[in-house]
Amino acid sequence: MTEIESLKHKLIQQLGCIYKDVELTQSYDELADVLVDIMRITQGGFTPRPYSNHWSEKDVVVITYGDSIIAADQKPLATLSDFMDTHLECINAVHILPFFPFSSDDGFAVIDYSSVNDGLGDWSDITAIASKRRLMSDLVINHCSSRSAWFQNFIKGEGIGHDYFFTANVDDDLSQVVRPRTSALLRPTHTSKGWQHVWCTFSHDQVDFDFRNPQVLIEFTRIIRQYLDAGVNIFRLDAVAFLWKIAGTKSINLPQTHEVIRLLRTLIEHAQQDAVVITETNIPNTQNLTYFGNANEAHCIYNFSLPPLLINTLITGSCLYLKRWQMSMPPAQDGTTYFNFIASHDGVGLRPVEGILEQDEIDSLVETMVLFGGKISSRTSEDGHKKPYEMNIALIDALQGTTKGKDQFGLARFTCAHAIMLGLEGIPGIYIHSLLGTENDYEKLANTSHNRSINRHRWDAEQLNGLLADDNSTHAKVLAALTKLITIRTNQAAFNPNATQFTLHLGLQLFGFWRQSRDRRQSIFCISNISDQPIDLPLAELNLIGTETWFDLIDGEVIHDITATQLLEPYQTVWISNVP
């Protein structure tokens, strides 16, 4: 069997799993041929090696909108590129949030997947950025804008897109459907065929695709090929858990959804050797882990439990729940890894800590975030009640104090959070507003009335550069502290995303873990005081090997007595390594 024949055989099997309950006008063989042709996979091309890691300790991702920084007389994407070249040389990858024409949700209601929003720039700006850094792009695969040409054709009943959207009957059993919003699930829409009720997982401007129609899969395959050609290296499958819907079920995490992801990975990894698929599935932790498959589904999954757990740890001064969770997390096998983050363009989700944090712990966390100026977004739970879904707050504001209130340790606590995240197994992603120490944007919140706007500030480049040039500004201090940690991290083999990790037991005020490089030459003990009081770290409990010389990578000092007790100031982190 030739390589192409083997690939088509695999695709046929995957298509059979996806469409087994759907009547098709094309055979699986014909569909497989179409998909391979679109992706331009030819005989003699690249054959992926199973369990390959397309990442290393050098990989750190900055998460940003294309217009998070703007300047007069310059396209925002060009401004972003200049800013990264000037201030973020230590970061080798960028996730530019949806840069396409859109109608709502700050880009996630896409009008046209094939175009760059002309308010940001054009494809040449995208490819220019991709020539200097790994580029992550969103594949907004669950839904598109109601203003898209496809949906307008759905209304007219003709043309491309007229059969791309999922509809249901008002008398269908939809009682079990899991959703992240409180709006009505079905949108009544008057079409050439009469009134139809369009499924809308998120908002009524975000109309859900019907993947039972293989033309939708074909369309997204074309989109993927275009993005690869433009230099996109990492695909973030947005809200993909909701992709397949069946009335009478929860319509989340269905087997067909998992198989679609496996098929897309098959196509992508045969088309480009180092391309990566990341699933964005803001769901309970045990469900999220299933998207690894058997190293044949997502290369990376978002570590959604980390943000609320880490924030909770730092405002309570106890790492009990964080440590329990970390000990329960399976090491990612080769070919997969975690995508770690503690802040993003969205809020801090609470569903990922269901079953991890006690309800009173969640209630206290929510109350503290409100105390620090945050907003709380809700969803409709399975029993029909509104339930807190996410906390909307800038990370630097979220960490300005503890459950006791605000204090003087905000910057140290904020830096500690990133030191912990940067040391963990996985690839770190850092929101640009965390790098810049951006605070809650109440003006934007008032203008949009959308809670998520509180953490989506838009900086004037001249003003921002002025603040960063002032060593006494909080913004300059934050950027200096985080870029220092990133620079150290990216030079340590023991911080490889798949390097060994073990949790240390040092009490509830010291959160620690041990990393070991894959060649076993380097060990790093990552230990943080997560409390607002000085804590003694008994070095003897680490069992440091006496024949090695040990260093704290962060302060650059040699540890002369490995049996001594070291005092850790509130929120201080040490990275103790046998390799300087």
Side-chain angles (χ1 to χ4, degrees):
M1 185 180 293
T2 66
E3 293 173 1
I4 288 293
E5 289 172 339
S6 177
L7 169 60
K8 289 183 178 178
H9 179 71
K10 182 176 182 179
L11 291 172
I12 289 168
Q13 289 182 317
Q14 292 173 323
L15 290 165
C17 292
I18 296 167
Y19 296 112
K20 62 180 180 180
D21 297 322
V22 180
E23 290 187 18
L24 303 180
T25 58
Q26 291 175 286
S27 69
Y28 299 149
D29 303 57
E30 292 170 329
L31 280 174
D33 285 337
V34 170
L35 298 176
V36 168
D37 287 346
I38 290 171
M39 294 296 283
R40 301 198 301 273
I41 302 170
T42 58
Q43 186 66 36
F46 175 71
T47 300
R49 190 161 51 88
Y51 306 105
S52 295
N53 296 333
H54 307 310
W55 44 80
S56 75
E57 62 275 9
K58 300 292 184 185
D59 289 302
V60 177
V61 181
V62 58
I63 305 164
T64 180
Y65 280 102
D67 60 355
S68 290
I69 306 170
I70 56 173
D73 303 321
Q74 188 178 36
K75 294 181 290 186
L77 287 172
T79 304
L80 173 64
S81 183
D82 289 347
F83 180 85
M84 292 190 294
D85 290 346
T86 302
H87 296 286
L88 304 180
E89 289 183 277
C90 58
I91 295 180
N92 72 340
V94 57
H95 171 201
I96 304 178
L97 291 153
F99 47 81
F100 319 104
F102 70 97
S103 57
S104 64
D105 199 16
D106 280 353
F108 286 93
V110 178
I111 292 175
D112 180 6
Y113 289 82
S114 65
S115 301
V116 174
N117 182 348
D118 58 14
L120 299 177
D122 54 34
W123 281 113
S124 67
D125 298 299
I126 293 294
T127 55
I129 290 173
S131 70
K132 292 181 283 188
R133 286 174 172 80
R134 298 188 75 173
L135 176 60
M136 184 194 301
S137 172
D138 291 275
L139 192 67
V140 186
I141 195 169
N142 178 71
H143 52 262
C144 72
S145 168
S146 64
R147 289 174 50 192
S148 66
W150 293 341
F151 194 68
Q152 296 309 305
N153 286 342
F154 167 80
I155 292 173
K156 292 186 292 186
E158 60 184 18
I160 297 173
H162 79 276
D163 53 356
Y164 281 11
F165 298 94
F166 196 95
T167 60
N169 296 316
V170 290
D171 55 354
D172 285 340
D173 178 11
L174 305 178
S175 59
Q176 298 182 57
V177 174
V178 174
R179 297 182 61 229
R181 298 291 185 271
T182 57
S183 58
L185 174 62
L186 300 183
R187 165 191 160 139
T189 304
H190 190 262
T191 74
S192 62
K193 300 178 181 178
W195 285 98
Q196 297 197 59
H197 293 84
V198 182
W199 193 290
C200 298
T201 299
F202 292 90
S203 76
H204 282 195
D205 186 41
Q206 293 166 293
V207 284
D208 283 27
F209 290 113
D210 186 355
F211 270 83
R212 295 174 303 180
N213 178 0
Q215 292 304 312
V216 178
L217 176 63
I218 289 170
E219 195 71 63
F220 272 94
T221 304
R222 291 194 185 100
I223 293 166
I224 289 169
R225 182 66 260 180
Q226 180 184 2
Y227 293 0
L228 284 170
D229 291 340
V232 172
N233 182 260
I234 306 169
F235 292 86
R236 176 186 183 270
L237 305 189
D238 175 67
V240 71
F242 303 97
L243 181 140
W244 200 273
K245 307 95 162 67
I246 299 177
T249 74
K250 293 183 177 181
S251 293
I252 188 172
N253 307 323
L254 295 182
Q256 294 91 334
T257 293
H258 285 279
E259 199 64 48
V260 169
I261 298 169
R262 295 186 195 111
L263 182 143
L264 292 179
R265 172 169 172 164
T266 298
L267 291 170
I268 289 169
E269 66 184 1
H270 276 82
Q272 183 165 318
Q273 179 174 357
D274 62 347
V276 170
V277 173
I278 300 184
T279 49
E280 188 266 336
T281 46
N282 193 352
I283 52 181
N285 190 57
T286 53
Q287 298 174 26
N288 192 27
L289 288 168
T290 65
Y291 283 86
F292 275 144
N294 183 23
N296 63 347
E297 200 164 331
H299 292 93
C300 306
I301 60 172
Y302 271 72
N303 221 343
F304 275 108
S305 297
L306 180 61
L309 282 174
L310 188 48
I311 293 171
N312 182 71
T313 294
L314 290 165
I315 67 168
T316 62
S318 170
C319 64
L320 174 64
Y321 295 100
L322 179 64
K323 188 162 72 170
R324 281 181 181 173
W325 166 77
Q326 181 166 284
M327 292 171 62
S328 74
M329 293 293 281
Q333 61 179 313
D334 281 345
T336 67
T337 196
Y338 296 103
F339 186 75
N340 295 324
F341 72 108
I342 45 179
S344 75
H345 63 292
D346 287 340
V348 179
L350 292 170
R351 288 212 72 206
V353 290
E354 291 177 7
I356 300 175
L357 286 181
E358 304 291 341
Q359 187 59 49
D360 61 344
E361 202 81 11
I362 294 175
D363 293 342
S364 176
L365 175 59
V366 168
E367 289 170 8
T368 305
M369 293 304 100
V370 172
L371 177 67
F372 293 160
K375 302 296 180 181
I376 308 301
S377 298
S378 300
R379 69 179 180 93
T380 302
S381 63
E382 289 81 349
D383 59 8
H385 293 95
K386 288 187 177 181
K387 188 174 183 179
Y389 170 72
E390 69 177 17
M391 305 177 296
N392 303 106
I393 189 169
L395 185 62
I396 198 160
D397 283 314
L399 296 174
Q400 63 185 288
T402 68
T403 53
K404 296 176 288 188
K406 299 179 184 179
D407 60 25
Q408 72 272 32
F409 297 118
L411 182 56
R413 191 180 291 110
F414 180 82
T415 305
C416 178
H418 287 87
I420 291 172
M421 190 263 286
L422 286 165
L424 289 171
E425 172 190 3
I427 299 170
I430 305 181
Y431 190 35
I432 195 166
H433 291 304
S434 294
L435 286 165
L436 301 175
T438 310
E439 298 173 337
N440 289 335
D441 188 337
Y442 295 110
E443 183 178 352
K444 188 168 187 177
L445 174 64
N447 288 337
T448 67
S449 299
H450 294 300
N451 285 350
R452 287 177 169 176
S453 295
I454 200 171
N455 194 27
R456 296 178 178 179
H457 183 69
R458 184 176 294 155
W459 278 103
D460 173 78
E462 184 176 356
Q463 178 196 17
L464 177 59
N465 286 323
L467 290 167
L468 295 178
D470 177 2
D471 292 341
N472 292 318
S473 79
T474 299
H475 307 288
K477 290 177 181 178
V478 165
L479 184 60
L482 298 194
T483 53
K484 175 186 175 181
L485 290 173
I486 293 166
T487 301
I488 296 170
R489 177 221 153 79
T490 55
N491 286 287
Q492 314 306 320
F495 284 149
N496 181 286
N498 292 86
T500 299
Q501 176 175 293
F502 284 112
T503 304
L504 302 176
H505 298 282
L506 301 167
L508 296 182
Q509 282 69 56
L510 292 175
F511 177 67
F513 49 94
W514 172 71
R515 302 295 307 278
Q516 184 183 57
S517 61
R518 290 164 70 85
D519 63 9
R520 300 186 179 181
R521 293 179 181 176
Q522 183 182 30
S523 289
I524 302 178
F525 293 84
C526 306
I527 303 162
S528 298
N529 176 2
I530 50 84
S531 78
D532 59 2
Q533 300 296 319
I535 300 287
D536 284 327
L537 167 63
L539 294 172
E541 292 191 16
L542 303 183
N543 295 318
L544 302 177
I545 299 172
T547 56
E548 301 267 15
T549 302
W550 295 89
F551 310 81
D552 179 1
L553 295 172
I554 294 177
D555 70 15
E557 298 294 323
V558 176
I559 297 174
H560 295 287
D561 184 357
I562 62 173
T563 65
T565 296
Q566 180 174 343
L567 183 69
L568 295 189
E569 297 296 335
Y571 307 107
Q572 180 183 351
T573 295
V574 290
W575 287 343
I576 300 173
S577 171
N578 62 331
V579 177

